Amino acid sequence: MNSTTSQSHTFSLLHDKRWFQLCLLTAALLFLLWFRFPTITTGLPYFSQEDEAHHFNRVVRMVQSGKWDPEYFHKPSLHFYLRMPVVAASFLWNVREGHIRKIEEISTKDPYGIAGYSFTASHSGIVKWNRAFSVLLIMLSLWLTYLLAFELTGSFFLSLGALLVAGVSPELLRYSGTIGVDVVMTFFCMLTTYLSVRYKKGDSLLSLAVIGVCAGLAVSSKYNALPIMGLPFALCILHKRFDAATLATSLFTPVLGFFVASPYILSSLPLFLNQFAYEIWHYGIAGHVGHTAEPGMQQALFYASWLRGDGLGTLGAILAALGVLGTLKNPSVKVWSVLWFPFLFCLLMIFQRANFTRNMIAVLPFAACFATYGLSLLLSFVSKTSILRPAIVGVALLFLIGEPLVRSLEIRHALATHVDSRDELTRWVNAGNLKGETALSGRLWASRDLVNVPSLTRYEPSKNSSLDLYLKGYTNIITGPKGLKNNENLFDAYTSTLKEFPGETKPQRIVRNPYITVRTFLDKPSLREEAFDYALDHPEYNLELQVGYQRRSLYKPFTCLTYSGATEQEEGHCWLSSRINTLTISNVTDLNAYKDSVKTLPLAFEIMTPWQGQEVTFLLDDWEETFELTGAAPGSWQKFTLGFPLRKLLDSDKILVTVKRVSSPSSHGESRDTRRLGVALRNVHVPL
């Protein structure tokens, strides 16, 4: 008997010691913080979530431009305003570290990215700070989970259990570091609910006003949080405070909080209405490919399955349901205040068509609180003086936390050890394994380190075939799962594989660890023949020029037109920018005037190339003439006169011109000019 009393007394002392509880709480929070470290760095410099890339780029642009108007209302504005100081502070820190000099250096645009946004961070440090801010908000939300659970259960250990259950939730871990609106909404919903639980009937209007403003801030984080705007009014009803001032405060302050944090909605009302209407249509009517279920029962079953899976686990879901049902048995203002938001929010989401599970992370801390509340209801059947009670609590919490923890450890390991084929490619290229100029698929969203390699130039795979890249002078091609436009058989026939990097082989909307192949063109006569035919069939390799001449009173100047139809008068010359080019003489009929006097028509011209050792060949049926531009320094104009067989010239549609070397000044670090250049022609005329 004395032994039992002693053990119970020891447990009571352990439970009541504030310092011991503080140590356990601090240890739990530090563990959960460490648990989230990989979410800050995983995948960088690549964005694997479309919304994260979009939100990061948008907030950076707001800082770069100094504009507070987001000009975007698919999401409210508080999220952006909270992150703008983080971008500014992280920029200054990175300046101190020597990674950046001006805020404009942060790249947010990419012509190959979705909607023109960059899906590769130019400065990963800026992203890390913003992800760390998301983790901070989640940690504050978890601390509020502990406080909220303590209000429900009155037990330190059960509250600590709620903190850990929410903290090791696989879904909450997965999105802890995401630069997005959900973590912001989660924090403000938790804060509003906790303040509501602490609110008492005799409290001042200021206390209610603070709750109302916090509710408005929650909705200004994400529109989905709309149900929480009714919580201040519900408090008036629950506490039976029906005076006009109190009711007005409960109704007005949430609206005030919303517009204070998203003020430009008022000055951009049509844009707001249209974009908010799109979100209503997207969630409620259209749904989303791969994330859709019928509203009602089907959607409810989907979320129930998610909750017992990556939400809280099976035991957590069961206990949470028990806790919610327990509120009917033991109703109180405190319990109803906690239940208000998650219940109405779940109803709102169940009657939508789209079902993104990230939307539900705001519910998980509440579900964890109700899980431990459900456990406390079960423990009410066990005597408080029973020696078995601590053991029952410990075992229950062990199983409650253990199930999601196992899954979360797998996710954490995957985040911490994430590899991407693009990083392997960057290391391989930087090791000097690639010789010659290389066309790099823009759809790979490669890192800045790789894109800035001078000999690499990005291309659009949907608009270029292997022959296009060959004609543009490239030696190698780096491509991903989307491959090249058409001519895949030619790609295999006329290139050989230098290196392959394993990865995802299917085309992806958001590129993650793609399969990459590096191929080089083979020196085959058959490739050249295919390229000749291809150039003849595609007008982009044609240059139309008017040959200048002076005959008696007749005079025509030299002009040339590119495929786009634009006269290059600003430079006074035109470029032959591929290995094989076709020249169409627009005034060829004018040359008939010389057929009775000459068989070989001389054409004089000036030619220039930026490249050393350039070689040019003119071909006309079975006639050809080759010469090297060795008489002057690169970039200098040289004069030549060639005699063309006039009859062949008059009968032929086009003159073929081959250029040995086509390159880009930017590939040699000579300038930022990314044009592919071979030779330039000017002043083509008949010197008779």
Side-chain angles (χ1 to χ4, degrees):
M1 181 70 181
N2 291 336
S3 175
T4 302
T5 304
S6 174
Q7 290 177 354
S8 178
H9 181 63
T10 301
F11 176 75
S12 178
L13 285 175
L14 205 62
H15 184 277
D16 291 337
K17 286 184 178 179
R18 294 285 181 90
W19 63 268
F20 181 70
Q21 293 178 0
L22 182 61
C23 287
L24 284 180
L25 179 59
T26 303
L29 288 170
L30 289 175
F31 165 74
L32 294 176
L33 178 61
W34 167 84
F35 204 54
R36 281 159 171 74
F37 279 166
T39 67
I40 297 174
T41 59
T42 187
L44 289 177
Y46 316 106
F47 289 107
S48 61
Q49 298 179 52
E50 184 172 348
D51 280 355
E52 181 178 42
H54 177 211
H55 292 163
F56 174 76
N57 287 316
R58 183 168 290 277
V59 72
V60 169
R61 288 185 189 181
M62 290 173 68
V63 175
Q64 289 174 330
S65 66
K67 292 182 179 179
W68 291 89
D69 184 355
E71 300 175 347
Y72 169 88
F73 299 107
H74 286 288
K75 303 290 188 295
S77 307
L78 179 59
H79 158 68
F80 300 116
Y81 295 146
L82 289 177
R83 293 188 183 277
M84 287 177 73
V86 180
V87 170
S90 59
F91 161 70
L92 295 175
W93 175 264
N94 277 269
V95 171
R96 175 65 180 81
E97 294 295 302
H99 302 314
I100 192 172
R101 180 65 181 84
K102 294 183 177 181
I103 190 70
E104 291 79 13
E105 293 175 27
I106 306 174
S107 176
T108 62
K109 298 179 181 179
D110 185 351
Y112 303 100
I114 298 172
Y117 283 100
S118 176
F119 279 74
T120 304
S122 61
H123 298 82
S124 295
I126 312 290
V127 181
K128 290 176 185 177
W129 274 61
N130 269 272
R131 286 183 173 180
F133 179 67
S134 295
V135 170
L136 172 63
L137 291 178
I138 286 295
M139 293 305 300
L140 291 173
S141 300
L142 291 174
W143 176 61
L144 288 168
T145 302
Y146 164 79
L147 296 176
L148 207 57
F150 192 83
E151 293 292 332
L152 285 176
T153 65
S155 166
F156 167 77
F157 285 104
L158 289 178
S159 303
L160 187 65
L163 166 68
L164 291 170
V165 169
V168 300
S169 164
E171 194 77 9
L172 199 60
L173 170 66
R174 187 180 287 119
Y175 291 104
S176 287
T178 301
I179 302 171
V181 296
D182 296 287
V183 293
V184 183
M185 184 187 85
T186 300
F187 168 70
F188 279 106
C189 287
M190 290 296 296
L191 179 60
T192 303
T193 302
Y194 177 68
L195 293 176
S196 299
V197 169
R198 298 288 296 176
Y199 180 76
K200 298 192 174 41
K201 185 174 182 179
D203 287 350
S204 66
L205 284 180
L206 179 60
S207 298
L208 185 62
V210 170
I211 295 171
V213 169
C214 287
L217 295 178
V219 183
S220 205
S221 304
K222 192 172 184 179
Y223 300 125
N224 301 42
L226 188 62
I228 206 164
M229 290 188 80
L231 183 53
F233 182 75
L235 285 177
C236 295
I237 304 301
L238 291 170
H239 287 287
K240 299 179 181 180
R241 293 188 61 172
F242 302 120
D243 57 284
T246 302
L247 292 175
T249 300
S250 70
L251 293 172
F252 172 72
T253 52
V255 177
L256 176 65
F258 174 77
F259 283 112
V260 163
S262 298
Y264 286 94
I265 285 176
L266 296 171
S267 61
S268 307
L269 193 58
L271 179 62
F272 162 71
L273 290 174
N274 287 332
Q275 293 188 348
F276 187 40
Y278 172 83
E279 295 301 316
I280 294 172
W281 171 82
H282 181 208
Y283 273 88
I285 306 298
H288 193 93
V289 177
H291 299 276
T292 301
E294 287 302 311
M297 183 57 69
Q298 189 180 30
Q299 197 72 284
L301 291 174
F302 169 82
Y303 284 125
S305 176
W306 163 80
L307 185 63
R308 64 181 179 84
D310 277 359
L312 294 184
T314 303
L315 182 59
I318 293 172
L319 287 175
L322 179 63
V324 171
L325 292 174
T327 61
L328 301 177
K329 179 184 176 183
N330 301 307
S332 67
V333 172
K334 187 177 291 188
V335 168
W336 288 114
S337 298
V338 178
L339 187 60
W340 176 272
F341 170 73
F343 177 74
L344 293 180
F345 180 77
C346 286
L347 281 181
L348 174 66
M349 301 312 294
I350 284 170
F351 286 98
Q352 305 299 315
R353 191 174 298 276
N355 55 15
F356 299 99
T357 56
R358 69 168 183 268
N359 290 327
M360 304 300 288
I361 67 170
V363 171
L364 291 173
F366 293 95
C369 290
F370 279 108
T372 53
Y373 181 64
L375 181 57
S376 71
L377 294 178
L378 292 178
L379 289 173
S380 65
F381 295 101
V382 181
S383 172
K384 292 184 179 180
T385 60
S386 172
I387 194 174
L388 296 176
R389 186 180 176 89
I392 293 172
V393 172
V395 172
L397 290 177
L398 181 64
F399 280 98
L400 184 61
I401 297 166
E403 182 183 356
L405 178 61
V406 171
R407 172 67 178 137
S408 288
L409 286 171
E410 294 174 358
I411 294 173
R412 186 186 189 278
H413 177 73
L415 293 173
T417 59
H418 174 80
V419 294
D420 196 289
S421 55
R422 291 168 289 185
D423 291 330
E424 297 295 323
L425 171 65
T426 302
R427 284 190 285 269
W428 185 78
V429 171
N430 288 337
N433 293 303
L434 198 58
K435 307 299 181 184
E437 291 193 51
T438 302
L440 170 67
S441 172
R443 296 296 174 181
L444 285 174
W445 299 342
S447 68
R448 186 178 65 160
D449 289 343
L450 188 61
V451 170
N452 287 344
V453 173
S455 61
L456 268 64
T457 304
R458 292 193 294 174
Y459 70 93
E460 173 54 64
S462 66
K463 296 179 180 179
N464 289 273
S465 69
S466 54
L467 288 177
D468 286 313
L469 298 178
Y470 171 77
L471 288 169
K472 291 174 182 176
Y474 294 107
T475 304
N476 313 300
I477 302 173
I478 300 175
T479 188
K482 290 187 177 181
L484 290 149
K485 174 190 175 185
N486 307 321
N487 293 342
E488 289 299 334
N489 292 333
L490 293 176
F491 185 52
D492 294 333
Y494 298 129
T495 63
S496 64
T497 301
L498 289 178
K499 183 72 174 177
E500 289 181 306
F501 299 90
E504 178 57 55
T505 57
K506 295 179 181 178
Q508 307 171 82
R509 177 176 172 84
I510 307 298
V511 181
R512 300 179 183 91
N513 189 35
Y515 165 78
I516 300 172
T517 179
V518 183
R519 301 179 73 94
T520 187
F521 285 107
L522 299 172
D523 187 13
K524 283 188 173 183
S526 53
L527 170 60
R528 190 175 178 82
E529 292 172 8
E530 290 282 357
F532 268 110
D533 293 338
Y534 188 85
L536 286 168
D537 291 339
H538 289 77
E540 58 263 40
Y541 299 105
N542 181 63
L543 188 70
E544 185 177 318
L545 57 85
Q546 176 178 277
V547 174
Y549 65 86
Q550 175 79 55
R551 294 188 79 250
R552 300 183 181 91
S553 61
L554 295 176
Y555 168 75
K556 281 196 176 179
F558 160 78
T559 60
C560 60
L561 297 134
T562 61
Y563 169 64
S564 63
T567 304
E568 296 196 13
Q569 293 178 344
E570 71 279 0
E571 290 186 316
H573 58 268
C574 44
W575 284 97
L576 303 180
S577 299
S578 64
R579 280 179 162 138
I580 300 171
N581 310 267
T582 60
L583 295 182
T584 300
I585 299 176
S586 61
N587 62 332
V588 69
T589 56
D590 292 348
L591 304 182
N592 271 311
Y594 296 98
K595 68 180 180 180
D596 294 331
S597 58
V598 297
K599 290 185 178 180
T600 301
L601 181 69
L603 291 181
F605 55 89
E606 294 179 65
I607 191 168
M608 179 269 289
T609 181
W611 318 124
Q612 194 79 254
Q614 185 66 283
E615 187 178 285
V616 182
T617 301
F618 288 84
L619 301 98
L620 196 60
D621 291 339
D622 57 353
W623 173 90
E624 69 176 67
E625 185 76 29
T626 300
F627 58 91
E628 293 184 2
L629 302 180
T630 56
S636 301
W637 290 94
Q638 301 180 58
K639 294 182 178 181
F640 283 87
T641 300
L642 289 182
F644 288 82
L646 183 55
R647 175 51 54 191
K648 293 181 184 293
L649 188 62
L650 294 174
D651 293 342
S652 177
D653 292 326
K654 295 178 176 69
I655 300 173
L656 285 172
V657 184
T658 66
V659 179
K660 180 180 179 180
R661 186 178 180 191
V662 178
S663 187
S664 171
S666 63
S667 298
H668 303 272
E670 297 173 3
S671 74
R672 294 184 178 181
D673 189 352
T674 58
R675 292 179 299 168
R676 305 298 296 174
L677 304 176
V679 297
L681 289 176
R682 74 180 183 188
N683 195 24
V684 181
H685 66 283
V686 179
L688 296 177

